[in-house]
Amino acid sequence: MSTPVDNLLEINNLHTHFFTDEGVVKAVDGVNLAIPRGKTLCVVGESGCGKSVMARSILQVVDRPGRIVEGDILFKPGAGETTDLAKLDPHSREIRAIRGKDITMIFQEPMTSLSPLYTIGNQIIEAIRWHMPVSKQEARQMTIEALRKVGIPRPDELVDAYTFELSGGMRQRAMIAMALVCEPKLLIADEPTTALDVTTQANILDLIRELQTEMGMSVMFITHDLGVVAEIADEVAVMYLGSVVEHGTVDEVFTEPKHPYTRALLRSIPKMSLRKKARLDAIRGIVPHPLNRPGGCAFHTRCDFAQAGICDTLVPPITTLASGRQVRCLIYDENQPVSFESFTADDDAQEDVQERAISEDVMLKVNGLKMHFPITAGFFNRVVGHVKAVDGVSFEIYEGETLGLVGESGCGKTTLGHSIMRLYDPTAGDMLYREENGATVDLAKLNQRDLKRYHRDIRMVFQDPHSSLNPRLPVMEIIGESLKVNKLAQGKDLEKQVRDLLERVGLRPEYIRRYPHAFSGGERQRIGIARALAPNPRLVVADEPVSALDVSVQAQILNLLKDLQAEYSLTYLFIAHDLSVVAHISDRVAVMYVGKIVEYAPTEELFLHPQHPYTEALLSSVLIPDPRARHENRIRLEGDVADPANPPSGCAFHPRCRYAQDRCMTETPHLRETRSGHVTACHFAEELELAGVTVQDEIAPIEST
Amino acid sequence: MVQYILKRFLYMIPTLLAVSIVSFIIINLPPGDFVDALIAQRRAESGENVTPEEEVGLRKFYHLDQPLPVQYVDWITGIILEGDFGMSLRWNRPVDQLIWERLAMTFALSLSSMLFIWVVAIPIGVYSAVNQYSIGDYLATFVGFIGLAIPNFLLALVLLYISFRFFDQSVGGLFSPEYIDAPWSLAKVADLFSHMWIPMVVLGTAGTASLIRTLRANLLDELRRPYVTTARTKGLPEYWLLIKYPLRHALNPFVSSLNDIFVNLVSGATIVSIVLSLQTTGPLLFDALRNQDMYLAGSAIMMLSVLTVLGTLFSDLLLAWLDPRIRFS
Amino acid sequence: MSTLQTATPSAAALDSNKTDESIAVVANQWQLIWWKFRKHKLAMLGGSVTFVIYFVALFADFFAPFPPNAYASNYTYAPPQQLHILDQTEDGLRLQPYVNGYKVEIDYNAGRRNFVVDPEVKIPVGFFVEGEPYKILGLIDANIHLIGPLHADDPMYLLGADRLGQDVFSRTIYGARISMTIGLVGVAMSLVFGVLLGGISGYFGGWVDTLIQRVIEFLQSIPSIPLWIGLAASIPVDVPPLQVYFLITIILSVIGWTGLARVVRGKFYALKSEDFVKAARLDGCSSLRIILRHMVPSFLSHIIAVVTLAIPGMIIAETSLSFLGIGLRTPVVSWGVLLQEAQNIRAISTAPWLFWPGVGVVIAVLALNFLGDGLRDAADPYA
């Protein structure tokens, strides 16, 4: 950025603080940033880094008790015009004229960001009429036009729809229509695709990019997902604890990350590489709470290159490198002896993963499993229909393997996991479990009392580390409950076992008396894993165990799960929506759609040679954290996951399938072997030539500077 | 929507049925029946003794020789088909002649108290929430608590005392003496309203206090919702945004609690009316119970319940009209 | 670190990078609730006042100068006397508490005798004086009263006298006994019904739940006071006072349990789908253990708050019924019974001090409301 750049917005030394009872939270603490005209700037960082607060500061819509305490936000809509937004009164007419007109915002959760009490048309028309002197009729026409532009079908009807009548993707489209209807110069998008499924996310990203090119606006895109960054950014700013630590073009940042935090982030995400099942390079620790911001360089507590006495005392200045890139790290300060060499980690040691033996024995064979939930209505709760959440699922899990189960939200994967645990009583089907001594038992037929002993063999790890731990019990009781109830251990012995378990999952044994509130999300998930391991299980059903965690913590937990599997020869059923995570951890993968498994095969086979159009589309939507791998012709999956209460006839996927033929509408395809070791439920599996992932090389290895 | 309304009407039927059964049980709860009371009354008034034969005859005449379920069916079919609620022993008139005007008065009093509550509570609640922790907020909270803590009848007594002691006038009754037996006219209505405000305030105070607190809490919740930020980023002025989004949302639980408030008002009106001697159902019911005038008492309890059931229906419909989510589910 | 002062275990205070075992990380829910509650000043005040009221009620015999039903017909409607701590004598000020005596004025217009305070007469009073014998908690014989006239026959009416010359002050203190406990007993009964039916409704769901919910909806749609009046009026006049007391609490609970049942059911429903309850099931816990160990602790604090907030309603209800003359009746002394005296306008205009029991009601209800509000806010320290 040595050449003078035409910036639409410049943020200089911005500080936004929250004045709470417990102290001043410096959420944004000296941010310098510029958004070039007509470009997309991605702001990336883990949660708690102040990205959102920074974005909200631009329009001065920070919630109480937060406010801008210092800095300028220079907005330059045209030649020679400059307004300092930070100096405007948040209630003033001036800033209101800019909000919604020149600068607009979209948010993460369109369901809560739009009011359910008014039609989407009402909420968009209102935005127009506050800024433009148009009649109600004209505004309505503009709204319909905007809805059409964002790809909402039948816009002249849906203009009168309420948010809850639309799917998540459609709601986000409506939100975008609202933001773009006044043709803003800057769109601030705050994690707009985080709550969406991968397929929908891909569509929304495409949409934002198209509209940006068409309207020539600038976009500030906030995300924690490096895949999204690689997909959409022109420039990238990496934030850590309230300040920008690195800023450069997307190619620069991804191919040659400068800041240790950026490097660590890039290395901690699972890639779609199938070559080796390596451990991930996790960043240690977690993002500290802004109230406990470390002195010196905020990142020094987690940095592999930090030098005591330097990094923990000196605040690194912004260094502008020869290429024009900016980075805040003392490595680039010539006066300081900090360098990448100071870290002497053995990279190869981290690749060292024990080979696991996958047995030929089937441990669990699920056969025609159905889980239907009644829909009731009326005064006496009459049953009027059934949600077929799981509708005839068959698969087997081999001893010692990890079976990944993927699908979009609402496909029934969580219900399947819960049914296997018998948290529900299955409607039909059987689940044959082979005990250690070789005896086989049908779990689906057992009553709750007889199930008890199998619940020691088969354990579960839950998705949400907050709701899965009882806040009112100490760690000792949480982890020890199964041992105590099943009379496996008591007294001193129980306590010792729990201490051992804590150590096994990487927590200090002294934490045994602590309550869950004393732990971070990642640590809670470790406790959840320890609880699952307590009675020495053989099979662990992990229901999205990392999806609620930040990338760096996610890597820690994935590594832990792998280590434990090797150490205790565990078998995993790993349920997830994130294909990169599944590719990283699974030996075989099953893909679910509307209550049925549509395809399953060994991981590499499935990812390289998908046989089902749905799998192909899913794989195509995965965003690879490498800007060179941008998909030009991504498969756009239109519409939503079908309603499991009323699934389409024939193949449930046919309304969204681009290869669908008449036969698909009438005849339900069954799972059959379409390649060796590869089963698919598609009539045309053999005929179709579907694209798998192109195996990526590892991101260019980091050279020392 | 039509289907929803229909459904709500159908839901009312079992409730009304249950109400009538409970009322009938209350009629029959005290020892002795209508004829016993009648005989006792005659003996007291004229010293006339009733022979056992006559007693049997009377029982037969009033169908009291039938088993209770049959009596109930008689009673309820009489009400539904002929509007015949039975006889009031004490007034020696059919119950329906006594009850309708009183009921209308109860309704008018409850409704106007309701309006009073709304008019006072909404602005104060909004002010309290928007200016959280301001002096005004603390004041409203404090006054609200006091309002909740004073029993209706006590407030009525205090007002009675104050007006008697310092203004030397009686505040009891709903009409000035000259209008009590006068036919309805505009002047009488005006007189009614001039008397209505004291019971209205007495009755409305507790409701106002609780509503201010509910609204404040709801609004504080709503003010933090993402859609408020969205509205702000659209450039809407603060006052407009406040009314259109958080207030409208905060009113929803408010409307659904409307029904509870109405029930409480009808309920509270009973006792306030007794203290302030208002010509509503309250004193009528109270007298009836004390004199074991059971048909009158039962009918009064039933009709008050019917009133609140209708209030529930009304608030449900209002809620459906206000909230599209209910309409569509 | 300000961990001890902060109510919620904030992420900041509990940064797990730190290894020190601060108190907050091992604090159980009751400690966290207490820390949060403690910050609520009004609630602390409400709690203290509530405690004082119950304490005074418990030892009413000691705090009241006279027995509740002692009367002196020659002091009808005697006005309140002011308590003087220091006595101005020729020798200067002396620590000798006294009250002024009464003299009689004839109101010829009204044709009756009025008592007025006579500043000339000093009646010496003392603290911890001997008076009517009583039994502490019904067990230990005692005759010491907090305050009383030094000569037993002297009139002392700190809050005035009623129609029968009974001491309003003593009666208000005794009234607290009945009025405050009727709230407790009524709520306890509602709680038993509410927790039982709400728990059944929430835990089992299905048609049981539907049925109970319909019953609750129905009961809540009936205006409570007419129903109470109807039920109370059917209590025969000759029923002994103690039975009336219990019948009244039952009548109040008829409606009271519905609110509690709803809360319990709601909590059960919310908790049932919590992952930690599922985890407990997978740990092999029995239904009973899941409920008692994993679910009840999660809403016990909420229940306590709701119960506290339900007591004032009961107190007001009892007071209202007794006031109308269909609840408790003399010789039972409750605030409502006492307020019956204030029912007609003539009585209160002559003797406005008859409102004092009403002040008792307002203070008690206020205090309980503050307390309950604070408890409700602190009930979920993890929110």
Side-chain angles (χ1 to χ4, degrees):
Chain A
M1 278 172 283
S2 45
T3 47
V5 191
D6 181 17
N7 288 331
L8 178 68
L9 190 87
E10 284 170 15
I11 299 175
N12 297 318
N13 194 28
L14 181 71
H15 294 256
T16 304
H17 296 176
F18 286 76
F19 298 87
T20 69
D21 293 343
E22 293 171 9
V24 180
V25 176
K26 298 174 179 175
V28 174
D29 202 24
V31 160
N32 291 281
L33 206 58
I35 305 172
R37 209 175 292 277
K39 294 274 170 74
T40 299
L41 169 77
C42 270
V43 181
V44 69
E46 293 174 273
S47 51
C49 283
K51 311 183 295 282
S52 259
V53 176
M54 189 265 292
R56 278 157 205 242
S57 301
I58 295 174
L59 281 179
Q60 293 228 37
V61 290
V62 182
D63 285 327
R64 280 189 297 190
R67 61 164 199 269
I68 298 175
V69 290
E70 202 188 328
D72 315 315
I73 302 169
L74 304 176
F75 178 53
K76 302 173 175 172
E81 291 176 67
T82 301
T83 318
D84 186 351
L85 301 179
K87 300 289 178 294
L88 295 177
D89 173 4
H91 295 303
S92 67
R93 190 176 293 276
E94 290 82 5
I95 196 147
R96 285 209 326 261
I98 292 170
R99 290 179 192 161
K101 172 84 180 74
D102 293 330
I103 305 178
T104 56
M105 268 187 100
I106 56 178
F107 299 94
Q108 182 180 126
E109 198 15 92
M111 184 71 201
T112 53
S113 299
L114 289 169
S115 165
L117 297 185
Y118 301 95
T119 61
I120 53 171
N122 178 311
Q123 296 179 63
I124 299 176
I125 290 168
E126 172 187 54
I128 302 173
R129 303 246 299 158
W130 276 104
H131 295 293
M132 293 181 193
V134 294
S135 73
K136 240 186 185 140
Q137 264 317 306
E138 288 167 314
R140 193 180 157 86
Q141 271 317 309
M142 288 171 73
T143 304
I144 293 174
E145 214 29 63
L147 291 175
R148 192 188 315 283
K149 218 154 120 186
V150 297
I152 286 186
R154 296 173 287 121
D156 40 346
E157 279 172 48
L158 290 183
V159 68
D160 293 321
Y162 291 93
T163 50
F164 51 85
E165 296 178 85
L166 302 176
S167 66
M170 284 298 145
R171 279 197 286 264
Q172 196 55 290
R173 282 173 195 265
M175 190 83 198
I176 292 172
M178 186 164 89
L180 299 188
V181 70
C182 290
E183 309 206 325
K185 302 197 168 55
L186 173 63
L187 171 71
I188 302 172
D190 187 357
E191 304 256 13
T193 59
T194 306
L196 304 174
D197 273 317
V198 269
T199 53
T200 320
Q201 161 169 294
N203 292 348
I204 296 288
L205 290 180
D206 285 348
L207 175 69
I208 291 178
R209 198 170 32 208
E210 277 167 29
L211 291 171
Q212 180 193 19
T213 326
E214 193 184 319
M215 299 167 65
M217 64 183 172
S218 305
V219 175
M220 178 186 221
F221 198 104
I222 290 156
T223 180
H224 67 279
D225 185 337
L226 288 161
V228 171
V229 178
E231 183 67 21
I232 200 167
D234 295 311
E235 290 189 10
V236 181
V238 182
M239 267 185 93
Y240 190 76
L241 273 190
S243 70
V244 174
V245 295
E246 175 161 7
H247 186 181
T249 66
V250 65
D251 288 326
E252 287 168 346
V253 171
F254 273 85
T255 50
E256 211 185 320
K258 293 291 185 193
H259 196 281
Y261 180 57
T262 318
R263 294 180 170 215
L265 267 187
L266 279 169
R267 287 163 61 117
S268 66
I269 38 176
K271 305 166 184 82
M272 289 285 261
S273 88
L274 306 163
R275 285 191 288 112
K276 56 182 178 199
K277 303 281 182 182
R279 287 170 59 89
L280 295 164
D281 299 320
I283 315 176
R284 63 195 145 88
I286 53 160
V287 180
H289 191 274
L291 267 179
N292 287 345
R293 201 190 145 97
C297 171
F299 187 58
H300 84 259
T301 51
R302 308 175 70 195
C303 181
D304 288 333
F305 312 102
Q307 282 199 12
I310 301 171
C311 292
D312 50 356
T313 47
L314 296 174
V315 177
I318 300 173
T319 314
T320 306
L321 304 177
S323 55
R325 292 173 63 188
Q326 292 179 326
V327 58
R328 251 181 202 262
C329 177
L330 293 169
I331 289 175
Y332 302 95
D333 189 332
E334 279 145 29
N335 303 321
Q336 298 299 338
V338 188
S339 73
F340 285 121
E341 275 80 39
S342 54
F343 180 60
T344 53
D346 183 3
D347 266 7
D348 297 330
Q350 300 206 355
E351 308 290 323
D352 183 28
V353 167
Q354 297 175 32
E355 262 317 303
R356 283 177 297 115
I358 298 173
S359 145
E360 295 285 302
D361 294 329
V362 174
M363 180 185 270
L364 183 71
K365 184 172 170 54
V366 174
N367 212 341
L369 188 70
K370 289 186 181 177
M371 187 61 237
H372 295 182
F373 297 100
I375 308 168
T376 59
F379 193 76
F380 296 107
N381 293 339
R382 236 165 350 102
V383 175
V384 292
H386 283 95
V387 176
K388 297 170 181 165
V390 176
D391 197 23
V393 163
S394 306
F395 63 89
E396 56 273 339
I397 303 175
Y398 292 94
E399 191 157 353
E401 77 163 340
T402 299
L403 176 66
L405 185 63
V406 288
E408 289 172 280
S409 54
C411 72
K413 54 189 192 300
T414 293
T415 311
L416 177 57
H418 281 114
S419 306
I420 290 173
M421 295 311 297
R422 282 290 308 272
L423 282 167
Y424 305 126
D425 293 331
T427 314
D430 38 48
M431 304 187 288
L432 302 174
Y433 169 67
R434 190 171 159 277
E435 288 180 70
E436 215 158 1
N437 59 17
T440 304
V441 61
D442 183 0
L443 298 177
K445 306 285 187 295
L446 293 182
N447 63 30
Q448 290 294 334
R449 200 165 46 86
D450 295 333
L451 262 174
K452 256 179 96 166
R453 53 181 281 236
Y454 297 101
H455 276 156
R456 302 204 298 252
D457 282 5
I458 308 175
R459 300 286 288 170
M460 182 156 181
V461 175
F462 293 87
Q463 171 175 11
D464 182 357
H466 290 269
S467 82
S468 65
L469 303 185
N470 189 341
R472 288 162 181 85
L473 293 179
V475 169
M476 163 81 205
E477 309 284 330
I478 290 173
I479 297 178
E481 186 77 351
S482 65
L483 297 173
K484 205 157 149 188
V485 172
N486 291 307
K487 305 202 171 55
L488 297 174
Q490 285 171 338
K492 280 265 176 289
D493 182 35
L494 177 67
E495 187 171 329
K496 188 186 166 297
Q497 288 203 32
V498 174
R499 283 176 184 272
D500 289 348
L501 281 164
L502 278 175
E503 234 170 342
R504 268 160 76 174
V505 297
L507 293 173
R508 292 160 180 273
E510 303 94 270
Y511 290 172
I512 194 162
R513 305 258 165 258
R514 290 192 176 190
Y515 284 82
H517 65 247
F519 297 93
S520 69
E523 289 172 322
R524 283 168 184 241
Q525 202 55 297
R526 287 174 194 267
I527 296 171
I529 292 170
R531 168 174 61 194
L533 293 182
N536 231 334
R538 298 173 67 213
L539 172 63
V540 174
V541 176
D543 183 12
E544 303 251 16
V546 295
S547 61
L549 306 172
D550 265 320
V551 261
S552 64
V553 181
Q554 171 179 315
Q556 295 166 5
I557 298 295
L558 287 175
N559 286 344
L560 175 68
L561 285 171
K562 282 201 143 192
D563 294 346
L564 291 169
Q565 179 170 41
E567 203 178 335
Y568 301 97
S569 21
L570 295 170
T571 307
Y572 286 147
L573 174 61
F574 193 97
I575 301 169
H577 68 276
D578 185 333
L579 285 137
S580 318
V581 168
V582 168
H584 172 77
I585 201 164
S586 310
D587 300 304
R588 288 186 309 138
V589 176
V591 181
M592 240 184 127
Y593 188 76
V594 197
K596 289 192 165 73
I597 286 179
V598 293
E599 177 164 14
Y600 94 101
T603 310
E604 194 171 328
E605 165 73 16
L606 186 105
F607 278 68
L608 293 179
H609 310 288
Q611 298 273 291
H612 196 286
Y614 178 60
T615 313
E616 183 195 32
L618 271 187
L619 291 174
S620 168
S621 336
V622 175
L623 303 174
I624 291 157
D626 183 350
R628 294 167 300 183
R630 277 188 194 178
H631 246 291
E632 295 310 327
N633 37 16
R634 190 178 298 291
I635 300 169
R636 281 192 178 192
L637 206 49
E638 300 298 340
D640 308 302
V641 177
D643 179 6
N646 190 16
S649 62
C651 173
F653 186 60
H654 84 256
R656 302 170 81 190
C657 180
R658 54 181 189 161
Y659 311 105
Q661 298 185 21
D662 288 348
R663 187 179 165 197
C664 302
M665 284 167 227
T666 49
E667 197 180 323
T668 310
H670 294 285
L671 277 178
R672 62 202 163 83
E673 189 157 25
T674 51
R675 277 167 66 103
S676 143
H678 192 147
V679 288
T680 316
C682 174
H683 297 306
F684 305 105
E686 289 87 348
E687 296 148 47
L688 297 172
E689 298 229 350
L690 304 179
V693 289
T694 26
V695 174
Q696 299 295 316
D697 285 330
E698 282 287 291
I699 306 270
I702 299 162
E703 300 96 30
S704 311
T705 324
Chain B
M1 188 68 187
V2 177
Q3 205 193 351
Y4 180 84
I5 296 175
L6 251 157
K7 227 163 66 183
R8 293 305 315 173
F9 265 103
L10 286 178
Y11 272 34
M12 250 174 65
I13 294 172
T15 315
L16 288 177
L17 212 65
V19 163
S20 68
I21 293 172
V22 168
S23 308
F24 188 74
I25 290 173
I26 290 175
I27 294 179
N28 285 289
L29 214 47
D33 60 14
F34 179 72
V35 171
D36 290 329
L38 197 70
I39 294 165
Q41 189 190 20
R42 283 202 193 158
R43 190 177 297 135
E45 278 169 8
S46 50
E48 134 190 30
N49 264 325
V50 178
T51 61
E53 292 80 43
E54 272 181 298
E55 202 180 316
V56 172
L58 276 170
R59 286 234 153 72
K60 207 170 188 93
F61 179 76
Y62 288 110
H63 298 282
L64 292 178
D65 53 342
Q66 307 281 337
L68 277 180
V70 178
Q71 287 185 38
Y72 167 73
V73 172
D74 277 358
W75 182 65
I76 197 72
T77 46
I79 292 173
I80 295 171
L81 298 181
E82 294 152 45
D84 173 15
F85 288 84
M87 283 291 283
S88 163
L89 179 67
R90 189 164 128 77
W91 301 77
N92 210 7
R93 280 161 65 187
V95 168
D96 62 301
Q97 286 182 15
L98 294 164
I99 212 165
W100 287 112
E101 194 177 307
R102 296 282 192 139
L103 206 59
M105 220 51 101
T106 305
F107 182 69
L109 180 59
S110 306
L111 199 67
S112 50
S113 304
M114 190 103 203
L115 291 176
F116 167 79
I117 291 175
W118 276 61
V119 169
V120 177
I122 293 184
I124 297 181
V126 171
Y127 176 86
S128 256
V130 175
N131 302 292
Q132 197 188 2
Y133 303 134
S134 66
I135 307 253
D137 177 29
Y138 281 122
L139 198 73
T141 307
F142 183 71
V143 172
F145 266 117
I146 301 270
L148 270 183
I150 303 180
N152 275 334
F153 75 91
L154 198 62
L155 189 61
L157 275 180
V158 171
L159 282 182
L160 268 184
Y161 171 72
I162 290 173
S163 61
F164 183 83
R165 187 68 197 265
F166 300 100
F167 303 102
D168 201 24
Q169 68 175 52
S170 145
V171 292
L174 278 175
F175 299 102
S176 309
E178 62 268 34
Y179 286 110
I180 288 181
D181 290 320
W184 282 100
S185 62
L186 269 181
K188 185 170 177 175
V189 172
D191 184 60
L192 173 67
F193 277 106
S194 70
H195 281 78
M196 189 88 103
W197 75 269
I198 286 186
M200 199 169 85
V201 171
V202 170
L203 208 49
T205 307
T208 308
S210 79
L211 222 50
I212 289 175
R213 294 203 317 163
T214 322
L215 186 60
R216 176 179 181 274
N218 289 346
L219 206 51
L220 281 176
D221 272 356
E222 295 297 332
L223 283 172
R224 296 191 198 102
R225 301 256 186 238
Y227 62 78
V228 179
T229 310
T230 307
R232 230 171 246 146
T233 63
K234 282 197 281 189
L236 309 188
E238 205 67 9
Y239 73 90
W240 171 258
L241 167 162
L242 187 77
I243 294 171
K244 179 162 178 182
Y245 295 98
L247 183 60
R248 172 72 196 278
H249 280 251
L251 281 182
N252 267 351
F254 194 81
V255 170
S256 50
S257 71
L258 205 80
N259 151 49
D260 298 346
I261 295 167
F262 188 71
V263 173
N264 280 335
L265 285 177
V266 172
S267 171
T270 312
I271 195 161
V272 171
S273 300
I274 294 168
V275 176
L276 294 177
S277 43
L278 311 176
Q279 293 83 356
T280 68
T281 338
L284 192 71
L285 170 65
F286 186 57
D287 279 348
L289 284 166
R290 288 213 293 202
N291 295 301
Q292 298 230 333
D293 191 353
M294 292 331 269
Y295 281 117
L296 182 54
S299 307
I301 290 179
M302 183 167 83
M303 291 319 284
L304 283 176
S305 307
V306 169
L307 199 59
T308 59
V309 172
L310 288 173
T312 313
L313 177 73
F314 173 74
S315 79
D316 280 351
L317 294 183
L318 188 63
L319 196 62
W321 178 65
L322 276 175
D323 190 341
R325 286 169 297 187
I326 293 175
R327 217 156 53 220
F328 280 76
S329 69
Chain C
M1 218 159 65
S2 63
T3 310
L4 274 179
Q5 278 77 47
T6 57
T8 29
S10 76
L14 300 167
D15 197 328
S16 40
N17 289 337
K18 291 200 166 61
T19 49
D20 63 313
E21 286 284 314
S22 63
I23 297 170
V25 298
V26 291
N28 66 28
Q29 73 156 330
W30 301 110
Q31 276 163 304
L32 295 173
I33 290 174
W34 168 238
W35 291 339
K36 197 169 175 186
F37 179 77
R38 212 168 44 178
K39 289 216 312 195
H40 204 313
K41 293 283 172 289
L42 268 181
M44 288 291 281
L45 180 72
S48 318
V49 172
T50 308
F51 177 78
V52 168
I53 295 176
Y54 274 111
F55 186 79
V56 168
L58 191 61
F59 298 102
D61 316 273
F62 166 73
F63 287 101
F66 306 107
N69 294 315
Y71 63 96
S73 45
N74 39 350
Y75 288 108
T76 299
Y77 293 134
Q81 303 152 320
Q82 201 201 327
L83 179 67
H84 303 263
I85 301 291
L86 299 174
D87 190 7
Q88 178 82 50
T89 61
E90 287 100 42
D91 318 329
L93 279 175
R94 203 161 61 88
L95 185 69
Q96 171 52 62
Y98 69 94
V99 292
N100 293 116
Y102 294 103
K103 61 184 178 193
V104 177
E105 280 179 358
I106 311 285
D107 183 346
Y108 291 101
N109 293 329
R112 63 176 183 212
R113 301 182 313 161
N114 280 345
F115 287 96
V116 292
V117 174
D118 181 359
E120 303 299 316
V121 185
K122 288 180 183 172
I123 297 172
V125 300
F127 292 99
F128 302 102
V129 295
E130 291 188 6
E132 281 291 315
Y134 58 92
K135 286 185 175 192
I136 300 173
L137 302 175
L139 298 171
I140 307 154
D141 284 310
N143 62 355
I144 303 294
H145 294 260
L146 177 67
I147 188 172
L150 292 180
H151 310 288
D153 295 337
D154 283 343
M156 185 188 84
Y157 295 106
L158 294 177
L159 297 181
D162 65 6
R163 189 166 44 91
L164 299 172
Q166 307 182 97
D167 180 27
V168 173
F169 178 60
S170 299
R171 285 168 70 79
T172 303
I173 287 178
Y174 276 103
R177 261 194 184 168
I178 302 292
S179 293
M180 295 299 283
T181 55
I182 217 159
L184 276 188
V185 177
V187 164
M189 261 196 230
S190 306
L191 189 66
V192 172
F193 284 125
V195 169
L196 208 66
L197 290 166
I200 290 172
S201 198
Y203 193 79
F204 293 103
W207 67 268
V208 185
D209 180 35
T210 311
L211 182 74
I212 293 176
Q213 287 316 303
R214 294 283 169 269
V215 171
I216 290 177
E217 269 167 37
F218 164 67
L219 282 175
Q220 288 191 335
S221 71
I222 298 185
S224 49
I225 292 181
L227 182 67
W228 283 333
I229 294 180
L231 292 173
S234 65
I235 301 176
V237 196
D238 49 1
V239 172
L242 193 69
Q243 273 186 38
V244 174
Y245 178 96
F246 281 109
L247 285 172
I248 293 289
T249 56
I250 290 173
I251 288 171
L252 297 182
S253 320
V254 165
I255 304 260
W257 71 271
T258 56
L260 279 163
R262 285 220 149 158
V263 175
V264 172
R265 173 182 177 270
K267 289 285 163 195
F268 254 102
Y269 252 74
L271 282 172
K272 220 163 68 166
S273 56
E274 285 280 353
D275 282 348
F276 70 77
V277 173
K278 288 183 192 153
R281 265 176 72 188
L282 297 179
D283 282 341
C285 299
S286 61
S287 288
L288 195 67
R289 188 176 172 90
I290 290 176
I291 293 175
L292 293 182
R293 187 173 161 79
H294 298 271
M295 294 173 86
V296 169
S298 300
F299 59 76
L300 198 57
S301 52
H302 292 269
I303 299 291
I304 293 173
V306 173
V307 162
T308 313
L309 285 171
I311 298 176
M314 294 274 174
I315 293 177
I316 290 186
E318 179 276 326
T319 311
S320 306
L321 285 184
S322 304
F323 168 77
L324 289 178
I326 49 177
L328 301 171
R329 310 180 181 104
T330 41
V332 175
V333 179
S334 82
W335 287 335
V337 172
L338 296 180
L339 282 169
Q340 267 187 59
E341 290 283 330
Q343 213 174 34
N344 75 70
I345 187 73
R346 200 135 291 135
I348 46 175
S349 61
T350 359
W353 50 87
L354 292 178
F355 277 128
W356 276 112
V359 175
V361 175
V362 173
I363 290 175
V365 170
L366 257 185
L368 282 161
N369 267 324
F370 285 144
L371 173 66
D373 246 33
L375 286 175
R376 188 178 50 192
D377 288 352
D380 189 357
Y382 306 102

